Structures are given as structure tokens and as C-alpha cells.
Amino acid sequence: MTTDEARAELGTLLGVPPEGTGAAIGVTVPCDRWTEAATFARHSLGCGFFSFLTVVDWKTEGLEVIARVENLDALFSLTMKTRLEPGLTTCPSIMAVYRGADWMEREAFDMFGVVFEGHPDLRRILLPDDWVGHPLLKSYAVDTPYPPYR
Amino acid sequence: MTPLPPLAVAAIAGFILLNAVVGMVTYVTLLERKFAARMQSRIGPYRVGPHGLLQPIADAVKLMLKEDLVPRAADRRIFNLAPVIFLIPCLLIFATIPFAPGLGVADLNIGVLFFLAVSSMEIVGLFMAGWGSNNKYALISAMRAVNQIISYDLPFIFAAMVPVLLTGSMRLSDIAAAQHGLWFIFYPVIGQLAFLAFVIASVAAENRVPFDILEAESELVAGFRVEYSGMKFALIQLGEYAHVLGTSCLTALLFLGAWSGPGPAWLGPVWFLLKAILIFLLLTWVRWSFVRIRVDQILAISWKLLLPLTLLLVIATAAVVVWRP
Amino acid sequence: MSIPRDSLLHPTVGDPSPPRVITELDYAGTERLTMNMGPQHPSAHGVFRAVLTLEGETVVAVDAVLGYLHRCHEKLAETLTYVQYPTIASKTDYVAAMTSELAYVMAAERIGAIDVPKRAQYLRVLVAELQRIASHCLWLGTWCMDMGGALGGGATIFLYCIREREVVLDLFEALVGARLLYGFHQMGGVRYDLPAGWVAQCRAATDLIEARILEYESMLEDNDFFMMRTQGVGVISREVAETVGISGPLLRGSGVAYDIRQAAPYSSYEDFTFSVPSQPAGDCFARYRVRMDEFRQSIRIVRQIVDGLPEGPISSRPGVKSVVQVRIPKGEAYARVEGPRGEVGCYLIADGGPKPYRMKWRGASFSNLAVLPHIIPGHKVADVVAIMGSVDPVFGEVDR
């Protein structure tokens, strides 16, 4: 599976040619096809290495979930993005496909409040269990007081 | 002058011995610290007294002044009694050791048996400490301790039987006297193997690295003595080091000829102590060089390696004794 | 909190229930004990809480509780400019600060298409490799200390390794002025140049360390106890390694010969010859062997650099006078660096201003630590410390 073959197959699957240059491929996936894209990446494209999963808060345009996986033999990487509708905070979980998504999705839930459907144990990972709010959202001010920590 | 009643003699001798042992044990800790420091390109205790010589005194004073904590949920009586029960056998073993011909508190004719039996009594105190602390770490450590010490007492005893068989008596002064010509460690094959097995088994029976899994600081944070502070902790430390020193003395007596050495007869106890310290330093050298091994590996070594080996040694020694010219 | 991984008992999503202690009695009558390897622990490598469920001596479940060192670097980066943040970036992986700063600076340079002069690139590689040596010294010392105890043979190796690490830290102090957390990297290059006599000191340091590594290897590998504790313990299969996302010596110890320095070379790594060690076994001993070989490869790279360092400027934008002077145009980039612990990455989204819009820090130790619940069950309690030491987490990176 070379980089060009991967690009071609992704274009066929999603109907739009992927972005990115060289060995870095980027795709934007509709939210309902998120798990399908991840499974395709793992089993058909050979991207077995899970790098990270995170969320970006685009304020009025909604949240965006980004996941990056890599093919260690053909040395290309695939960055998958999916945009959640403004006001929507749920996204399917890809933990069944990539085990590393476990803690990454818990951190995304902790920091952004995104609930990953299908994750068996979604609880806060970095902040204490009794924390209120999701700090990395743009609506959360940096100097929000939170006794006794702040 | 009318001679003193033998009971009084024994009491005075015991008192002197006890004080001497406690003093020796405190300074042996300093020796270990200095030796370990030199191995690690450090200096060790240096400031308290000239070259750190008053460090053990400072430690003793510090421990006496510390607060005596008893955890609220701990079983008070067992918790308080455990260090004492632990210490008594460790000091009692010195009673049968003769430091020179005739210089010993009680030269029993079952000396070896007494020593080995009493030294394995410390496990009662150890388990009481682990149980009475009401602490999971202490409990796990105490269970490991029972496992380990019982497993290693068997090869310990069998290896000690080799000098007994070669001498034909369990009295410690007889064993020492029988080594005038040839120390038992130089006895071909049997002597060396028995010495090795005895040292390994004794290291394990004393919970020293590499067999100190039960007080593995990096996992169980001091194990069975995690809840002890102040004077009770000092008693446990004293007991441990006294046990190590006592076993070193026994090793020197059983295998290294006790008090035999060049020079006049009154130099005997000095040689004896030097040999005991030599064994102690050997154990310290091993302690600061090796990582520790897991408890199931420790037990495997005992049951699968040391026990068959020492059994064979005993049989071989018996054969030698029967058939030697 | 102490919920076994494969249990059907789990709280409803998002429900912050208080920690429950589970002591089950299954039909065989064996009791399961929940033991805490608490945040204060001599071998926790920082602040880490592992709630172990034990059956006798065997661990049946691990629940890792993190977050004791969480400072929300990702929010902090949104409030600091591109000039201010690199110094703070070193506080994520504080044991290997040089590689941490490099990830952020490279990401910003990639978005802004900022050139880095050749001499600066070589200096970056030089300090990164020296940092790898220092970090592995600390790893070896603390790992052996965990296995041998602070009052045992482990402490001996710990003190020897710390002594070697001091040699490298002296080099850094002469170069930057700081021993642990530097502010060496900046956008466009590096901040300091080599002082006089530094190259000679560096050569002496590498010679010394190379000789000492041989001693430690023989001290450990000739010791059957060490081999018993590390061989066959904590085996990570290749499939688990890849899907969890572990990287660095952990991945290479499981048979995958993947190194970012050769797979996607950055900062002139393609100019140097070095090999990437990998071991097929996947146990603690394999990871140990990989790191010991990495010592030698790093020394090899350092020698190549000091023998052929080009002249030139050390930064393409020296003399930044105000902290808001550097603005990066709109764009996004992911820059990754092969740190001593694995892939340290910085995913940066810039919006044209002096501060980033979003920064995601991909910490190597966070992904590495995620492998623990998959490999520890089935091992004994004593193996937990051996495995954790061979995973070599730094909690600044895990919690950020």
C-alpha cells in the first residue's frame, strides 16, 4: 500500500480527493462515517499506528474532532477530521478500532465535553472527578476561579 | 574468695554480652554505610563526630526522641509486642556462641540446634508486626516473609549439618576446636559447597537483598515495619542487624575456624570477630550490587535448587565421615 | 475508580461517581484485594496512582489515575505568544527538555515557512542527542533503583548513572546556563552558540560515557537476578503496540524498527549516519537493550556533529525585541520529534495573530502509559515496578 494508492482509495471511499501533500494525507469525514473511515484506515490502508485524537473548538462553527493515524511500513500518515454541528457534542467512538483512542477520547471529553458514543468508560482523566466545566472550550475563561485550586 | 553461684556468673556474663552485642550492632550499621558509600563513590556519614564515628549514637538518640505512633485501627497489644518478640530471639542466639575456648555464656551441647531453632523464631514477631499494623502493605509483606523464611530455613539447617557431621558434635566449641588443622571451608568440594549454600540460605533467612522482597521499598514501602516509628522501629532495626551479625558469627564459627589464627591464644576472639565482620562485609557487598528478585523466583531457588543441593551434601558428608580413614 | 477493564460494571457516561472499592469473592473463594500504589510512592516516577486489583500476588486489573501534574499547557499556549511559549514547553517532558521545546518550535516554523540555518539545525541535533544520553542515564538509574530498592543494589547503579548524567548537564550549563529546563530553542534557530572549549569538553564527555556504559552493561547482564526480573516480563505484542500508539524505545523493543529521525527526518538528521536498534522480544529486557544501543548511536551522532559543524548564523531571526513581534500566518501543522521516550508531537493551529489558536501536545509518555492496563494483568506485584520503569514515563508529559 503506497501513499498514492492510499490517496486513490480514500478518494473512492469518500467521493472527494484527500488533501495534504506528500506523505501526509488529510481527509474530512462526515460525522456519521467516522467509525467507517477509521476501520477503513486500519484494515484497508494498513494504518495500524494510532498517533492522537483531539478536538478543536471553532466557536460558532462547532467542534471538530481530529485523529491522526500512520502506516509505519509505507511511511505515510492520515489525519482524519470530522466537524460536529454547532451545539452538538456527541461523536462516535473509535476505541473498538484503535485501543489508544481510549485515553485520548477520555481526555477530549474531559477538556471539551465531547461525549463519545460507544466508549465503555468515559470519565474524566486529567481533572478531578468533581470539576465543573470543560477548560479547553473557548467559552471557558483562562482565569475561571475554581476553589481550592484557583 | 568463694566462687559465685553459677547462675550469677551466667547472669553477669549474659549482661556483658548483651551490652557488647548491642554496641557492636550499632557500629556495624555505620560500617555498612561507609562500605556502601565507598562502593557508590560517596563518602558516607562524615560530619557527626570524627569521620562520622558518632553517627550511630546520633541515630539512636534521634529514634528515642521520635513520636511513638500507633495507628488507630491497629491491634494495640500485638502491634506493641511485636518488636520485642522480634528482638528477643535475635539477641538470644549470641548466648551459645563461644568467642574463645571457654568464653561464652552458655556453651550448650546442642548449640547448633539451639541457634537455628531460636533464630527462626523471629518470624513470629515479624508476622505479628505485619498483622498488627492493619495495613495492606504490611500484611502482604508479612505473608511473603513467612513464605520465604520457612522455605529457606530448611537449606539453612541442612547446610549447617555439614560441619556438625564432620565434627560429630553439635556443641559449638567442639566444632571450632575440630577446625584446628583444616578449616571446614577448605574441605574439598563439600566444604565450599556447604559454605556457599549456607551463606545464600542465611541471606534469604535474614531478608537481605537480593532476597528482601518483603521490605521492597520501591513496592511495599518498608513492608512489615511501615507503621513503626521511634523506639519500636529502633528495636526492629536492632533485631535485624543483630540477626545478621549473629549469623555471620555462626558462619565464621562453622566454616572459618572461629578463633584459630596466627598469634597468641588471647588473640582468638579478635580473629573471630574479624572473620565475622568479613562475612558481614561479603553480605554487604552482595547487597549493594544486585537487584532483588520476585518472591516466586526466591521460592523457586529455595525449593528447586538449594534444598536438593543441601540434602545431597548432607548425604555426601555422612558418606565421607563413615568411610574416611 | 477501581473498575477492572473487562467488567460489565461501568458508570453511565459522564457520571462522576465517587471511587468504589471492589472486593469480590468469586465462587472459588479467593478474595480480591484492591491495593493502591498511591501518588506518593518511592517508585511512582512522579505523581501517579495505580489502583491494582490483586488476587494473591497476581494483578488482575489496573486502573491508572492521572492528572496530578495537570497544568493545562494546551490552554496556556493559547495565552502565550510564539516567543514566550518555547521556554514553557520544556516543562512537559522535563527530563528531556531539549526535545520538548523542539517540537513546538518546529511546528510554528512549519506553518510560517521560516528557514533555519544549517548551523542551527546541527546544534539542535547536537543538544537533542546529548539530551537523549542524559535522559537514558536517568532512566537506567531509576529503573534499577525500582527493582533493587533504594537500599540495595539498585541504588548503586542509580548513583553511577547520575554521576554520568552530571557530565552532560555540565555541558548544557556551559551552553545555556541551565541544567534541567532550558530556553535554548527559538523560532528560526537557537538562542546560544557554543562557547570556547565546549567541543573538547563534549568529546571528553562522550568518551567517558561510552566507557561507563560498557561497565553497566556487564554489571547488569552478567547478573542472573537482573535477567530473571526482566526477561519475559511485560511483553508488548506488535499489534497492541501499534494500536495503542506507543512509540520510541517501547515500539522498537516490540520489533518495529520505526524511528522518526529516519522515517521523516527533520532538522538535518538525514546528514548523519546512525542505525536504529530494535529487538523482537517485546519484554523489559528488549526495551533495555534498545535504550543501551541508543546510547551508542547518540554518541555516534554527537561525534559526527562536533567533527563537522558548519559555520554560520545560529538563527534566521535573531534579536526579537518584543514578544508580539513574531506572527505566524493562518495554517496548521503537526511537527514531531523523536524524543527519548518516543514521539513528541505538537499540533499547532495558527490564526495569524501572535498567539496560537489551538495547540495539541502529543506527549509520548501519555500514549506509552496507556499500554499499562493491557499488559500488566497477569503479572505479579513486583513486576509492576519493573514494567513501569521500562515504560519510563515522565508525568509532565502525561498530564501536561
Side-chain angles (χ1 to χ4, degrees), chain C residues 7-64:
Chain C
S7 160
L8 292 174
L9 308 162
H10 56 265
T12 53
V13 162
D15 167 24
S17 44
R20 296 173 356 229
V21 171
I22 294 181
T23 316
E24 307 162 19
L25 283 166
D26 66 28
Y27 68 93
T30 31
E31 191 181 323
R32 287 188 170 184
L33 188 72
T34 304
M35 188 169 95
N36 207 17
M37 268 181 73
Q40 307 113 317
H41 194 95
S43 78
H45 281 268
V47 273
F48 171 62
R49 182 175 167 209
V51 183
L52 306 172
T53 311
L54 304 177
E55 227 175 57
E57 276 272 332
T58 315
V59 178
V60 292
V62 172
D63 188 28

Side-chain angles (χ1 to χ4, degrees), chain C residues 164-176:
Chain C
E164 264 53 274
R165 186 178 144 90
E166 287 297 311
V167 166
V168 177
L169 293 186
D170 284 344
L171 284 173
F172 284 147
E173 196 183 0
L175 178 64
V176 174

Side-chain angles (χ1 to χ4, degrees), chain A residues 63-145:
Chain A
L63 298 170
E64 184 177 36
V65 181
I66 304 175
R68 179 190 162 97
V69 297
E70 291 188 37
N71 184 326
L72 297 182
D73 303 308
L75 299 179
F76 67 84
S77 69
L78 173 64
T79 308
M80 304 185 291
K81 301 186 187 182
T82 180
R83 184 68 68 111
L84 307 177
E85 302 297 310
L88 188 68
T89 56
T90 58
C91 173
S93 163
I94 58 172
M95 192 184 146
V97 186
Y98 292 102
R99 286 190 221 216
D102 181 4
W103 282 14
M104 293 282 178
E105 287 175 355
R106 276 178 65 186
E107 187 192 342
F109 164 69
D110 195 1
M111 294 289 138
F112 288 92
V114 177
V115 173
F116 288 90
E117 294 154 353
H119 193 291
D121 187 18
L122 198 67
R123 49 193 163 103
R124 290 194 182 265
I125 185 169
L126 294 179
L127 292 171
D129 289 325
D130 53 352
W131 195 277
V132 169
H134 299 281
L136 277 179
L137 290 172
K138 293 289 180 185
S139 54
Y140 191 98
V142 171
D143 50 0
T144 308

Side-chain angles (χ1 to χ4, degrees), chain B residues 36 38-42 136-137 140 144 209-213 216-221 225 286-298 301, chain C residues 33-37 41-43 54 57 146-156 159-160 163 219 223 225-226 228-229 233 380-383 385:
Chain B
R38 288 289 169 178
M39 273 179 69
Q40 297 171 349
S41 34
R42 304 182 284 128
K136 275 178 204 166
Y137 289 137
I140 293 183
R144 282 177 177 174
V209 174
F211 301 116
D212 74 338
I213 193 71
E217 294 84 16
S218 48
E219 309 151 33
L220 295 186
V221 201
R225 26 166 219 211
V286 164
R287 174 187 189 176
W288 293 96
S289 308
F290 290 159
V291 298
R292 72 166 62 90
I293 47 176
R294 279 196 330 246
V295 66
D296 58 322
Q297 292 162 339
I298 294 178
I301 291 180
Chain C
L33 188 72
T34 304
M35 188 169 95
N36 207 17
M37 268 181 73
H41 194 95
S43 78
L54 304 177
E57 276 272 332
D146 288 345
M147 290 200 295
L151 298 176
T156 310
L159 287 168
Y160 294 159
R163 189 187 50 187
M219 184 173 168
N223 184 344
F225 289 154
F226 176 79
M228 279 162 76
R229 279 302 290 276
V233 170
K380 307 265 189 280
V381 174
D383 292 328
V385 279

